[in-house]
Amino acid sequence: MKQKNFYIIDFDSTFTQVEALDELARISLKKHPEKEAIFQKIEDYTNLAMEGKLSFGESLAQRVKLLEANEDHLKQLITRLKKKVSASFSRNAAFFKKHADEVLIVSGGFKEFITPVVSQYHIKKENIYANTFVTTGDGKIIDYDHSNPLSEEGGKVKLMQQMNLEGDLYGIGDGYSDFQLRESGLIKKFYAFTENIARESIVKKADHITPSFDEFLYVNNLPRAISYPKNRILCLIIGDVDAQSIDMLRKDGFSVRHKTSFEEKYVADVHMLLLADGEKLEPEKLKRAVKLKTLGYLGSTKGKVDTGICTGLGVVVFDDVKHNPRNLTFIPKRMIDFMNTGTTYLSSNFPNLQLPRIDKSHRLIHIHKNVPGIMAKVNTIFAKHDINIVGQFLMTNPSIGYVITDINTEYDKQLFKSLKKIEHTIKFRVLY
């Protein structure tokens, strides 16, 4: 009989982008004359506990004491937290629905604000383990339940020992209390979640660093919203590129490297390439960049990049012939849209195709030489594999054909192999 898996997920700075008690303080102390000093104290207590430099119980007690919060403040906090769910958790809501029995939220935070946030993602209320506040009759928060093991130092370990779950347990979190589960031997692997914050003292102790929930799902071969984690997609930026463009690519989750030249060590592995105006790309290096999907140029590529080579390799090029200084993020935005949805709108070398995302479907990209009969071969393979097509779009130019196919059925890896083997195929990719 197959061993059951359980996924033990932290809340603060993991499921959400922020530390909830810090946010609650910003709400409850909004009009306090010494609010900035108190905010800093609360953040300091949070970080000391997360890094294992202060007991969790002491940290919690000090933070709650400083809050001066009530139930109205909690309502405001919940509204704010619902907008602050980590992007990679948010896009993988389908995973939580499918694995509702195996997902546990285990947090030193408080049920009063955790439950309304995670319940939206099909996580069962009985699988949410957290502290609870003590309030007065008029709703003022004055304390918390000290009998709850999660209010104590090593609380997560004590709780999991009491639960005695049978199966393989995997922990995902950003702090010391999450690592303690691994240290105690209660979980099989600890994944340091770094999408929001990377604590060096925790990262170096982890079994695996997961910059997104997509990465965790990928390495464990679990169903996910995107086929390949963005943190594994190398985006190389060359030359004098503005910080706004770099930040946009980094925030979308790509693994960004900013260099002064196209170093040899990156040639074989780069997926995205953004070049500053004036930078020149040697044809010989371009030909060897076999993983390259898209190239952005902050100016005109004429005389700087051989777009003919790019087209032959199935690399989508976006450039700014008009040198528009007012729209600094125009090119990176086009690159992001292509990587996320397959959109080639305003590409200088590909047929222009702009498509909406279709829910509950898988999107496949097929790039091929523009010769007769390719589409018939593509659809023959779909038919052989009993694939139900919910949307399909083909555009061509004199050199290439670009096909996007959305399917809503499960598929096996053999389908991909068959599509890649079609004669005159240049590139094939699964987006999500």
Side-chain angles (χ1 to χ4, degrees), residues 161-407:
Q161 285 173 335
Q162 291 173 13
M163 292 178 68
N164 195 26
L165 295 171
E166 291 186 13
D168 289 333
L169 278 61
Y170 298 88
I172 308 163
D174 67 289
Y176 182 67
S177 63
D178 304 298
F179 165 69
Q180 285 179 316
L181 288 172
R182 181 70 174 92
E183 194 176 37
S184 69
L186 287 167
I187 61 175
K188 190 172 183 179
K189 281 188 178 181
F190 166 56
Y191 293 80
F193 187 81
T194 60
E195 184 171 324
N196 304 308
I197 187 169
R199 306 180 196 277
E200 189 181 344
S201 61
I202 306 305
V203 166
K204 66 184 181 184
K205 296 175 181 176
D207 294 297
H208 190 91
I209 299 164
T210 180
S212 67
F213 191 53
D214 307 295
E215 170 73 9
F216 172 80
L217 298 174
Y218 179 79
V219 297
N220 288 291
N221 198 27
L222 292 163
R224 55 198 175 273
I226 55 177
S227 63
Y228 194 68
K230 289 186 183 181
N231 56 274
R232 290 180 175 238
I233 295 175
L234 175 59
C235 178
L236 189 60
I237 298 171
I238 308 296
D240 186 16
V241 176
D242 66 283
Q244 198 176 349
S245 293
I246 298 169
D247 193 47
M248 175 179 273
L249 289 158
R250 188 171 279 126
K251 278 185 175 177
D252 210 67
F254 302 110
S255 178
V256 173
R257 302 285 187 278
H258 188 192
K259 301 291 177 180
T260 55
S261 64
F262 191 7
E263 296 172 21
E264 183 62 38
K265 66 180 178 179
Y266 293 117
V267 173
D269 297 315
V270 65
H271 298 90
M272 304 168 68
L273 193 56
L274 177 61
L275 301 171
D277 193 13
E279 294 293 331
K280 193 167 183 178
L281 183 58
E282 303 98 315
E284 176 268 331
K285 277 189 177 178
L286 179 57
K287 287 176 184 176
R288 291 188 289 111
V290 292
K291 292 183 182 178
L292 190 61
K293 307 289 190 299
T294 183
L295 183 149
Y297 197 90
L298 299 175
S300 172
T301 55
K302 191 174 181 180
K304 303 292 193 299
V305 177
D306 191 326
T307 55
I309 293 175
C310 290
T311 304
L313 294 172
V315 176
V316 180
V317 177
F318 299 98
D319 66 354
D320 185 9
V321 179
K322 295 180 180 178
H323 296 81
N324 185 357
R326 289 177 297 176
N327 193 357
L328 297 174
T329 59
F330 172 76
I331 297 300
K333 178 71 166 65
R334 299 274 72 78
M335 295 170 71
I336 289 168
D337 285 348
F338 170 69
M339 293 301 291
N340 290 345
T341 67
T343 292
T344 54
Y345 179 61
L346 297 179
S347 163
S348 59
N349 70 327
F350 256 58
N352 274 212
L353 196 52
Q354 190 172 17
L355 301 170
R357 184 176 180 124
I358 297 177
D359 289 337
K360 298 178 182 177
S361 68
H362 306 287
R363 178 161 287 181
L364 314 180
I365 302 274
H366 192 272
I367 303 168
H368 54 267
K369 292 178 183 176
N370 188 8
V371 297
I374 297 284
M375 276 305 296
K377 291 177 181 177
V378 168
N379 287 330
T380 296
I381 287 170
F382 284 133
K384 281 182 179 177
H385 286 82
D386 295 320
I387 298 297
N388 183 29
I389 296 173
V390 295
Q392 189 173 56
F393 306 86
L394 165 69
M395 288 194 77
T396 62
N397 65 21
S399 304
I400 57 171
Y402 183 60
V403 185
I404 293 181
T405 306
D406 290 320
I407 62 175

Side-chain angles (χ1 to χ4, degrees), residues 20-185:
L21 286 185
D22 294 358
E23 294 298 304
L24 182 56
R26 295 195 177 278
I27 294 168
S28 65
L29 300 169
K30 191 176 180 180
K31 296 179 181 178
H32 197 289
E34 297 176 28
K35 61 182 180 182
E36 292 302 328
I38 300 173
F39 292 161
Q40 191 56 56
K41 278 185 182 178
I42 291 172
E43 285 182 16
D44 289 345
Y45 282 128
T46 298
N47 289 324
L48 287 169
M50 291 300 101
E51 292 166 11
K53 296 174 182 175
L54 181 70
S55 78
F56 182 79
E58 179 64 17
S59 167
L60 184 64
Q62 294 297 338
R63 283 181 286 163
V64 171
K65 202 180 291 181
L66 290 167
L67 279 175
E68 296 185 20
N70 59 43
E71 289 175 350
D72 285 337
H73 296 138
L74 276 177
K75 289 174 184 175
Q76 295 176 52
L77 174 65
I78 291 163
T79 300
R80 186 177 295 187
L81 292 178
K82 285 180 177 180
K83 297 174 184 174
K84 291 285 187 179
V85 172
S86 298
S88 62
F89 279 97
S90 182
R91 65 173 162 260
N92 283 290
F95 169 82
F96 296 110
K97 188 174 184 179
K98 188 172 182 179
H99 294 271
D101 291 331
E102 297 102 65
V103 172
L104 279 66
I105 300 294
V106 180
S107 170
F110 290 81
K111 279 189 179 184
E112 286 85 351
F113 54 73
I114 293 176
T115 301
V117 175
V118 303
S119 293
Q120 301 175 110
Y121 292 86
H122 314 286
I123 293 169
K124 295 182 174 180
K125 289 182 180 179
E126 59 267 32
N127 285 357
I128 300 168
Y129 296 89
N131 285 299
T132 53
F133 287 120
V134 174
T135 58
T136 58
D138 60 357
K140 186 180 178 182
I141 295 169
I142 54 169
D143 204 352
Y144 58 89
D145 179 7
H146 290 258
S147 67
N148 188 325
L150 287 169
S151 70
E152 305 167 12
E153 173 60 24
K156 290 187 179 182
V157 171
K158 292 172 185 175
L159 175 74
M160 299 313 296
Q161 285 173 335
Q162 291 173 13
M163 292 178 68
N164 195 26
L165 295 171
E166 291 186 13
D168 289 333
L169 278 61
Y170 298 88
I172 308 163
D174 67 289
Y176 182 67
S177 63
D178 304 298
F179 165 69
Q180 285 179 316
L181 288 172
R182 181 70 174 92
E183 194 176 37
S184 69

